Amino acid sequence: MERPYIICHMLTSLDGKIIGDYLKTERVTYFTDEYEEIHERYGSKAWICGRITMEEHFTFGHQVDLKKEDNIPAIPRTDYVANNDAESYAVAVDPLGKLGWTENSIKPWNENRSEDHIIEVLTEQVSDAYLAHLKKTGISYIFGGKERINFTTVVQKLKKLFSIDNLMLEGGGGLNGSFLNERLIDELSLILVPIADGASNSVTLFESSSSLNKQHPENFYLKEVEKLDDGGLWIKYLTKP
């Protein structure tokens, strides 16, 4: 296969919500711990999230001062590999280059993940100043398209440039929906929390947008169900029987 095997690993409420007030309840702590443990159990070399998720959990809204990079020469829109021999990778989908990284790995930001080397996924609309910042910080970056990201291209580059054979897709809903739309999901690992969120404006497991091609229904085939404590389930599906 020219791309990694891709597992969408997510935690949802009974009504399919991946964000919401239910995540702030004490009961959910056990399930989020299980989520992280199962993430490790898969033994994948890399995981991928969207900008909003990365900003919320890892850069915490921090912004870098790009004025320091003023008056730099134009930087070619070609992929930059700072480290192709890392033990693990955190892949951040950040089309316009907004995440405020100050280190080239995840560990300084969050104790739940190992020292994952950061790979930024960008469009060619990103500024030269941001590219200069990434290079100076030692962060790898790849381009997924001129104005929009083609995720088929992205995952092929992840395998070719970084030898990533297994990739954990860990949302937001928009990112998950984009992978689903391009038929890039091989397996779904779903932690089902026995709480109903009920909010009508909350993000679900797979979200679509007007920028995507018309979404076609995707069939999933049950692989395994494991009971968790406190009424939860770990459900595994495949996209091919």
Side-chain angles (χ1 to χ4, degrees), residues 87-117:
E87 290 187 10
S88 54
Y89 295 94
V91 185
V93 179
D94 186 20
L96 298 178
K98 294 183 178 181
L99 287 168
W101 303 112
T102 58
E103 305 279 350
N104 66 359
S105 68
I106 283 289
K107 190 169 184 178
W109 300 84
N110 190 287
E111 62 183 9
N112 288 327
R113 297 293 165 97
S114 59
E115 196 162 342
D116 306 318
H117 177 72

Side-chain angles (χ1 to χ4, degrees), residues 173-193:
L175 180 61
N176 293 343
S178 294
F179 270 68
L180 189 72
N181 188 62
E182 295 188 36
R183 299 187 181 278
L184 293 173
I185 297 174
D186 300 296
E187 183 173 337
L188 174 63
S189 166
L190 186 63
I191 307 298
L192 191 62
V193 178

Side-chain angles (χ1 to χ4, degrees), residues 1 6 24 34 72 144 165 180 231:
M1 195 159 47
I6 299 171
K24 301 173 185 176
E34 283 293 301
I72 60 171
D165 293 319
L180 189 72

Side-chain angles (χ1 to χ4, degrees), residues 149-194:
I149 291 178
N150 181 304
F151 288 100
T152 301
T153 298
V154 167
V155 295
Q156 288 174 348
K157 286 184 176 185
L158 291 177
K159 180 159 185 172
K160 181 180 180 180
L161 298 176
F162 301 95
S163 301
I164 294 171
D165 293 319
N166 288 276
L167 177 66
M168 302 291 284
L169 168 63
E170 299 183 328
L175 180 61
N176 293 343
S178 294
F179 270 68
L180 189 72
N181 188 62
E182 295 188 36
R183 299 187 181 278
L184 293 173
I185 297 174
D186 300 296
E187 183 173 337
L188 174 63
S189 166
L190 186 63
I191 307 298
L192 191 62
V193 178

